[in-house]
Structure formats: structure tokens, C-alpha cells
Amino acid sequence: MKVLKTVFDFYINASIHVALAVYAFVRITEFYFNLPYHQNLDFFVFFATITGYNFVKFAGVAKLHHRSLTNNLKIIQIFSLFCFVAMCYYASKIQTETLFFTVPFFLLTALYAIPLLSGFEKSLRQISHLKNIVIALVWLGFTVILSIIESNKELDFNISLFLIQRFLIVLVLILPFDIRDVKYDAISLQTIPQKIGVEQTKRLGIILMVIVLVLEYIIESVATVKSPFMLFFFMTIILLMRAKTDQSKYYSSFWVEAIPVFWWLLLLGFDNF
């Protein structure tokens, strides 16, 4: 059991689980618009997510405490290096235009982690109200925009609605994390639970999910996606409503982040039914 827990903790801490969630969102986008499966792009997004998340989580630690790194952190750094190499390999396999559109999202990721611009004493993560927006924009770029560009599909009204929907979904999925961290985040961050309270945050999440639901039935997509969406919708509402400040260790980091994966698997199941 101890070995299994060590492996599972590595799976979570090395950002493999969140990368799988991002990958699932990419596959969901392909389902909705009947896009071809771009293996190189999808794997690029998967490995870019691991690289980016581990950079955000551990770059500062590695810089400040290099000599005192734990063995686990060293292993994650080595793993991240291999993922970076894999990301570069798959990047060489996708269209140049698609790669060009990754630049602003990589830049946002870098600015989220460290204050790169002259005169800035804070990263984007430390600027009140910006954290969730930055995360949602980066996820939006990697899980929707790149797939649209790689498929040479034009941006239309239908896709624009889908972009809004995906942005709102990611915002809602962040809320259980904000609720978990409300006791630890600096007051200056002004996260949503800090500003309006936990219960009001849940109500806000429900309102956003209702908007997501309305958009779902406006967006034109293949017929088989509607039933899986409803299951995803209720699953998200349930996990949001059960979120609390003293939640279990894996509640948000595993179960909430697993929601896109379950949604993707449901789409696969209904598509093959």
C-alpha cells in the first residue's frame, strides 16, 4: 500500500493528472466539432501541461533551495525535463501557425510563476483577481484554440460560444481549489471565496454552470455529446457543492481535476454505444 501511495502521490505531484485533464478537454473539443484526431498536437499539449505546471509549482523552490531539494522534487525535475524534451519533439510535428499561437499562452504561464517584466515585484498569480482568469485563458488556448487552428477551421459564432463556455467551465472547476486554499492564500490575492465567502462562491459557480448549460444547447455540435454533457454538468455541481475549506487531500487535486477525464470517457462510451 505504501508503494501504491508513493506512486499515486507522484502521479498527482508531477502534474500527470492535471495534464490528463487538459488532454481530455482537447479530445472533447475534437468530439464537439468532429475534428480529426491530431496525435502530435494532443501529445504536445499533454507534455506542455506537465512542463508548465511543474515550472509554476517548483521553479521558485528549485532556485531558492537547490542544495536542499528533496529526492522527490529531484525526481519530478528529471521527469519534467524528459517531458520538456517530448514537448519539443511533438512541437516539431505540428504546424508553424499553431506553434505561433502558443506563444502568448506560454508567456502567460511564465508571468504567472515569476515577475519577468521590469518593475514588477509580483507574478500574475499574486495580483488580485487575475489568477483564475489567467488559468482559464491558458486552458482555453491549449484545449480549444490550438485544435481549431491545427484543423484549419475558421473561427465562427458557434466556436465563439464554445470558447465562452469552456472559459466558464474552467473558472468553475477552479472554485473548489480556491475554497480549499482560502485559509492559506494571502488576503491580498482577493480570491473569490475570500471576497464573497464560501457559500456565495458556490452559488456563483452554480450560476456560471447554468450559463454553461444554456450555451450547450445553443452550440451546434454532434448529437451524441448532449447526454454526456448532462452527466458532466451534474457531476460538477455535486463536487462544487461538497467542496469545503477542510476538504480531503485529494478532493480537488484528484476528483475535481478528474471531471474532464470522466466527461471524455463518457463521450467515448456514448459514441461507441
Side-chain angles (χ1 to χ4, degrees):
M1 288 296 293
K2 186 176 180 180
V3 173
L4 288 176
K5 185 180 184 304
T6 300
V7 172
F8 184 73
D9 284 342
F10 177 82
Y11 170 74
I12 299 293
N13 294 332
S15 304
I16 301 171
H17 188 57
V18 68
L20 185 60
V22 172
Y23 176 85
F25 264 139
V26 177
R27 300 305 308 276
I28 290 165
T29 300
E30 293 169 353
F31 263 100
Y32 265 70
F33 297 107
N34 200 24
L35 302 178
Y37 171 49
H38 295 291
Q39 177 178 297
N40 292 325
L41 174 66
D42 294 5
F43 283 176
F44 165 76
V45 171
F46 177 81
F47 289 112
T49 302
I50 294 175
T51 302
Y53 263 79
N54 288 348
F55 169 75
V56 168
K57 288 195 292 186
F58 301 118
V61 176
K63 181 179 179 181
L64 296 175
H65 306 288
H66 178 72
R67 293 183 179 179
S68 59
L69 287 176
T70 65
N71 288 333
N72 287 340
L73 184 50
K74 289 180 181 178
I75 293 170
I76 290 175
Q77 285 187 311
I78 294 169
F79 173 73
S80 300
L81 178 60
F82 281 108
C83 289
F84 174 75
V85 172
M87 179 193 78
C88 292
Y89 169 77
Y90 285 109
S92 69
K93 302 290 184 180
I94 62 180
Q95 297 180 41
T96 303
E97 183 182 6
T98 306
L99 275 179
F100 174 78
F101 275 90
T102 67
V103 173
F105 303 114
F106 276 122
L107 183 59
L108 279 175
T109 302
L111 290 173
Y112 182 86
I114 52 177
L116 290 179
L117 300 180
S118 177
F120 277 58
E121 296 180 355
K122 297 180 178 180
S123 64
L124 291 181
R125 186 186 186 281
Q126 296 169 307
I127 299 176
S128 60
H129 311 301
L130 277 184
K131 184 183 79 167
N132 293 8
I133 293 173
V134 170
I135 295 172
L137 284 174
V138 172
W139 279 55
L140 183 68
F142 278 96
T143 67
V144 181
I145 294 175
L146 297 188
S147 292
I148 298 300
I149 295 170
E150 187 72 7
S151 301
N152 298 313
K153 192 174 179 66
E154 292 185 3
L155 180 66
D156 55 22
F157 180 69
N158 199 46
I159 293 175
S160 298
L161 292 178
F162 188 79
L163 287 168
I164 296 171
Q165 185 196 49
R166 179 61 56 81
F167 181 82
L168 295 178
I169 287 172
V170 176
L171 284 181
V172 172
L173 292 179
I174 295 171
L175 295 180
F177 291 88
D178 282 344
I179 291 172
R180 179 196 66 184
D181 296 337
V182 71
K183 294 187 296 185
Y184 309 105
D185 284 334
I187 296 298
S188 60
L189 281 180
Q190 288 293 286
T191 62
I192 294 173
Q194 287 177 330
K195 198 169 181 65
I196 65 176
V198 171
E199 294 306 315
Q200 289 295 337
T201 297
K202 292 178 181 181
R203 292 189 182 97
L204 174 62
I206 291 175
I207 292 170
L208 294 179
M209 285 304 297
V210 170
I211 298 173
V212 166
L213 177 63
V214 172
L215 288 172
E216 177 67 20
Y217 285 91
I218 297 175
I219 295 169
E220 297 178 6
S221 55
V222 294
T224 54
V225 303
K226 301 305 179 185
S227 294
F229 170 83
M230 291 308 302
L231 292 172
F232 154 78
F233 175 82
F234 288 114
M235 190 186 314
T236 303
I237 293 292
I238 290 169
L239 286 177
L240 173 64
M241 294 307 295
R242 290 178 62 86
K244 51 189 179 181
T245 55
D246 60 344
Q247 61 189 251
S248 66
K249 180 180 178 180
Y250 302 113
Y251 186 85
S252 292
S253 61
F254 179 75
W255 293 109
V256 173
E257 284 188 343
I259 292 176
V261 180
F262 290 140
W263 187 8
W264 170 44
L265 294 177
L266 286 168
L267 284 168
L268 285 174
F270 274 80
D271 187 59
N272 294 323
F273 185 69

